[in-house]
Amino acid sequence: MTTIQTRTGRVTYRESGSGPTVLLLHATLHDRHDFDPIVETLARRYRTIAVDWPGHGDSDPVDATTEPGAPLFADVLEDVVDGLGLSRAVLIGNSVGGFAAARLAITRPESVAGLVLVNTGGFVPLNPLSRTFCRVMGTPAVFRATAPLFVRGYMKARTDSDRQIVERTIARARTHDGVRTGAALWRSFATPEHDLRGRAAELSAPTLIVWGKRDIAIPRSAGRVAHDVIRGSRLELLDTGHVAFSSDPQGFLAVAEPFLESVALRR
């Protein structure tokens, strides 16, 4: 286990392979092991770094005086990039990981060579319905009661990896810290800071958007919005739930590897 110090404490990451850097960023209450089905393949050609968000996996929990949230995780990503001395990395971000990756590409474009956004946050239209849903899910009692069913619903598990993700995520959602972190993240999804649509024109990095079209957490309509507002982006749909690279690693790699190669050649 390798760690790096950030503003929220120690963040755990796993590094493998060599070559251009690919940074892997997971979803809410998930962990770096979500990427296990694709890490070995990526590490044959790339320096591959899979990160545990604060309060996730083996990373330190977020201090009780600090509110967890998507903007905080985007700040932590800057700490990780600086601490590891990364430049011109390709970021593969799922859900809140996609939000953090896209925000980094907007605020620090020199750090990002390319983006692969998988069922990403940050581009869901904020209307009364979506805000209400996020705020309801952001109520700790509601989150604790509904998280197990919701995780199973958005994962649409069909592989052993999927089933392991479901087990790990539900187990974390049943802990005190998991409820606190998960609910706070959901509340943050309803804030203006989580809405990147108005800043998408600032995003210049080549971008591949991959969407599991059976996801109930972030529907495919949000993927089309992201595609529409991110200039020059490419959208690929897969017949999966929220974590496409776990449910269909070969299908994901079939679209992601050519993109990674094209970005690496531009360096």
Side-chain angles (χ1 to χ4, degrees):
M1 183 175 68
T2 310
T3 63
I4 188 167
Q5 191 67 32
T6 73
R7 70 193 68 193
T8 62
R10 295 174 304 158
V11 161
T12 301
Y13 66 95
R14 176 196 174 194
E15 181 173 341
S16 53
S18 61
T21 300
V22 176
L23 193 60
L24 309 176
L25 306 167
H26 64 78
T28 297
L29 292 196
H30 291 224
D31 58 40
R32 69 186 187 278
H33 293 292
D34 283 19
F35 293 96
D36 285 355
I38 63 171
V39 161
E40 183 177 346
T41 298
L42 293 177
R44 292 171 189 163
R45 299 188 62 184
Y46 304 100
R47 179 192 181 196
T48 305
I49 302 171
V51 176
D52 281 332
W53 287 123
H56 295 67
D58 296 311
S59 292
D60 288 344
V62 178
D63 186 87
T65 61
T66 303
E67 176 85 350
L72 176 65
F73 284 12
D75 292 341
V76 168
L77 177 57
E78 294 183 3
D79 296 342
V80 170
V81 167
D82 290 341
L84 294 177
L86 303 182
S87 63
R88 306 295 296 160
V90 179
L91 279 60
I92 301 179
N94 181 207
S95 197
V96 69
F99 162 78
R103 204 195 76 171
L104 183 73
I106 291 169
T107 60
R108 295 173 55 170
E110 71 282 356
S111 298
V112 180
L115 291 172
V116 182
L117 304 179
V118 186
N119 290 64
T120 184
F123 299 93
V124 178
L126 288 178
N127 53 44
L129 180 61
S130 62
R131 285 192 180 95
T132 299
F133 181 77
C134 290
R135 288 167 182 161
V136 169
M137 286 296 292
T139 305
V142 173
F143 183 85
R144 182 186 293 276
T146 60
L149 183 62
F150 189 58
V151 170
R152 292 188 181 97
Y154 71 64
M155 280 299 301
K156 298 292 190 296
R158 68 187 197 190
T159 66
D160 287 342
S161 173
D162 286 347
R163 287 182 278 274
Q164 291 164 12
I165 290 172
V166 169
E167 289 178 7
R168 291 195 305 269
T169 305
I170 290 176
R172 191 166 291 120
R174 286 175 170 156
T175 67
H176 173 77
D177 191 64
V179 171
R180 172 180 174 258
T181 302
L185 277 161
W186 272 102
R187 291 194 299 273
S188 79
F189 298 157
T191 63
E193 293 78 15
H194 184 249
D195 187 356
L196 296 177
R197 291 173 299 158
R199 301 192 65 187
E202 303 172 53
L203 205 163
S204 58
T207 302
L208 170 65
I209 302 167
V210 180
W211 219 270
K213 61 186 180 181
R214 301 177 66 203
D215 187 11
I216 64 168
I218 312 181
R220 77 172 82 176
S221 59
R224 299 198 182 279
V225 170
H227 175 49
D228 288 342
V229 299
I230 300 174
R231 185 176 58 253
S233 64
R234 173 181 156 204
L235 174 64
E236 294 285 349
L237 300 178
L238 296 179
D239 188 28
T240 71
H242 194 58
V243 189
F245 44 83
S246 171
S247 300
D248 184 10
Q250 295 309 312
F252 176 80
L253 289 168
V255 296
E257 285 194 292
F259 175 81
L260 292 175
E261 183 175 359
S262 69
V263 172
L265 290 173
R266 290 164 54 101
R267 291 168 62 89

